[in-house]
Structures are given as C-alpha cells and as structure tokens.
Amino acid sequence: MRLDRLISNHPQYSHRAARQLIACGRVEVNGEIVRDTQAVVDRFAAVSIDSIPLRSGYPSLYLMLHKPVGYLSATSDPAHPTVLDLIDSALHERLHIGGRLDRNSSGLLLLTNDGLWSRRLTEPRIKIPKVYHVTTAEPIAAIAAERFASGIHFAFEGLTTSPAQLQLLATHMARVTIYEGRYHQIKRMFHAVGNRVVSLHRERMGDIVLDPELAPGDYRLLTRSEMLSV
Ligand code: URA
C-alpha cells in the first residue's frame, strides 16, 4: 500500500498533510526515515510519525494557529466562533488547546491531540516562557518592569505571579514574558500598575515562534524540531 495513503487513512491526516509529513522527514518505516511520497509499504510495516507509532488509534497531531481576535479558545461554544472553526474538520478528533488566549487576544495558539504534550506546555512547574506584544491605554510607568519582576499579588487566588520581564518598546508598547498562564494574567498585571491593555498578541511559547508566513486564521503542522522542543 502507498505510504501516504496508509497515513491518510487516519482521520487526523488529509492526503496533503500525509505527503507533507513524509517530505519533511517526519515519517519512519521500520525505523528508517522515508522521504519518498510515492513509497509503497506492506501492511505489516512499523510506521511512526515523529517517532510515535501510527496505530489504529489516534496518531499525534501538533498544530500552530495564528489566532485572530474575536475567536474563543474553546472547542465549542453556542454564541461565539471558536478556534476549531478555523481548522479542517477532519483534524478535530481529540484536538485541544495547549495554553488559551482571550477572545480579544491574537497570535500563537498551539493545538494537539496529545494530552501529555499539552500538559508539559501548560504545567506552571515547567516554566515555559510565553512572550507577548502588548499595547496599553496609558503610558507604561517606569516602575512596571520592577513590579512585574518582583511578582504581582492576585488577591482573588491568593497568589503572587512568578517573576516576569517587561521590555519597554515605546511609551504605550512593551514585550512581556511570563512563565505561567493565570486567568487574564497580563491584563491583570497591567491593571495592578494602573494601566489597561488595549491589544495583546502572543509571539512565542518556549522555542516555538509564530510563523510570520501565517496570516490571522491560518495554521500549519509543527515541524519535528518544534514539536520536540516542548
Ligand atoms: N494574558 C491575558 O490577559 N490574556 C491572554 O490572552 C493571555 C495572557
């Protein structure tokens, strides 16, 4: 049987995605990487994608989406469009979000059907840096960087945020790096220093950078090295 056909028999992979995976060197047959999209394999061949065996269950899938403003980071909602509405329905099975963004935030959103991987991505103990470009309503106070670095107390949860970095880019613009993902975290941090976020865009999570080729609403498979970086 053709290798691309064998892969695309799995509901997560369109025929096009299967060919891309093979061409990118992410598919192994009996332990050897196969890049020939025309390759033929017998039905007993051990096929794996990103070193994870392709079984009759669900092979792992990792996507980056350029989330546009206006979409909910949820898999379904009765009132608002969700990020899943932007993804080919053939890929929806077990797909979930690794680190949400608010409805009015944009930028890098990672989706997967691999629960262990998404747990690593969001586990506060692992401290993966998340980098945001922020625009504010008021000029950013000189003290903000110091306050963010020493942690902001969130009275509602009774916790103090981990040290975060603020790099001032302009009077109303900054790049902020946080290491956890508390509810509305960056908006509440700016609120604590007397300011208000007017736009928030995630540029990076760990070593995974939002691909500049992706327009808002577009997505692509992660490369093998992006996937393995988490
Ligand atoms: N912090 C926020 O306030 N909102 C987001 O979407 C992400 C981080």
Side-chain angles (χ1 to χ4, degrees):
M1 173 181 220
R2 280 262 303 258
L3 179 58
D4 55 353
R5 184 69 57 203
L6 185 146
I7 295 171
S8 64
N9 279 346
H10 291 255
Q12 288 88 338
Y13 300 112
S14 63
H15 190 226
R16 184 154 166 261
R19 291 167 68 83
Q20 277 178 357
L21 287 166
I22 298 169
C24 293
R26 293 174 60 187
V27 177
E28 283 167 54
V29 178
N30 298 328
E32 301 276 342
I33 291 179
V34 173
R35 289 175 192 272
D36 177 4
T37 53
Q38 315 278 313
V40 172
V41 293
D42 75 57
R43 66 197 173 92
F44 301 111
V47 177
S48 58
I49 298 175
D50 297 325
S51 306
I52 296 163
L54 185 70
R55 296 204 189 87
S56 50
Y58 295 90
S60 301
L61 180 67
Y62 309 89
L63 302 175
M64 79 158 69
L65 167 72
H66 184 163
K67 179 194 172 300
V69 165
Y71 284 78
L72 272 186
S73 292
T75 48
S76 70
D77 188 82
H80 299 289
T82 75
V83 291
L84 233 58
D85 296 330
L86 298 164
I87 311 281
D88 186 335
S89 59
L91 305 177
H92 283 192
E93 189 78 43
R94 295 187 182 192
L95 207 57
H96 60 272
I97 295 154
R100 292 165 194 281
L101 282 172
D102 295 339
R103 188 154 74 97
N104 56 0
S105 301
S106 60
L108 176 64
L109 194 76
L110 298 172
L111 297 111
T112 183
N113 59 1
D114 178 344
L116 286 176
W117 190 84
S118 58
R119 203 176 311 157
R120 278 203 302 282
L121 196 64
T122 52
E123 174 63 63
R125 267 184 314 111
I126 299 182
K127 300 214 175 300
I128 290 188
K130 289 139 192 131
V131 182
Y132 295 83
H133 186 278
V134 186
T135 310
T136 58
E138 308 297 333
I140 298 169
I143 194 74
E146 226 173 274
R147 293 279 316 278
F148 286 13
S150 45
I152 301 279
H153 185 65
F154 284 175
F156 185 71
E157 295 95 325
L159 59 84
T160 299
T161 56
S162 307
Q165 286 101 43
L166 180 148
Q167 177 197 3
L168 197 61
L169 302 173
T171 55
H172 293 68
M173 221 177 259
R175 179 162 289 117
V176 176
T177 305
I178 59 175
Y179 297 85
E180 50 202 341
R182 310 277 174 205
Y183 179 66
H184 292 333
Q185 180 160 343
I186 292 190
K187 290 176 187 155
R188 292 163 76 197
M189 287 166 68
F190 275 94
H191 180 74
V193 294
N195 210 330
R196 185 169 60 82
V197 169
V198 293
S199 79
L200 187 57
H201 178 84
R202 185 154 64 202
E203 300 176 328
R204 184 159 78 79
M205 292 177 83
D207 289 335
I208 306 178
V209 178
L210 179 62
D211 188 331
E213 299 287 312
L214 293 179
D218 285 353
Y219 65 95
R220 69 155 169 80
L221 295 173
L222 293 192
T223 63
R224 181 178 162 79
S225 66
E226 285 169 337
M227 185 277 287
L228 292 175
S229 73
V230 172

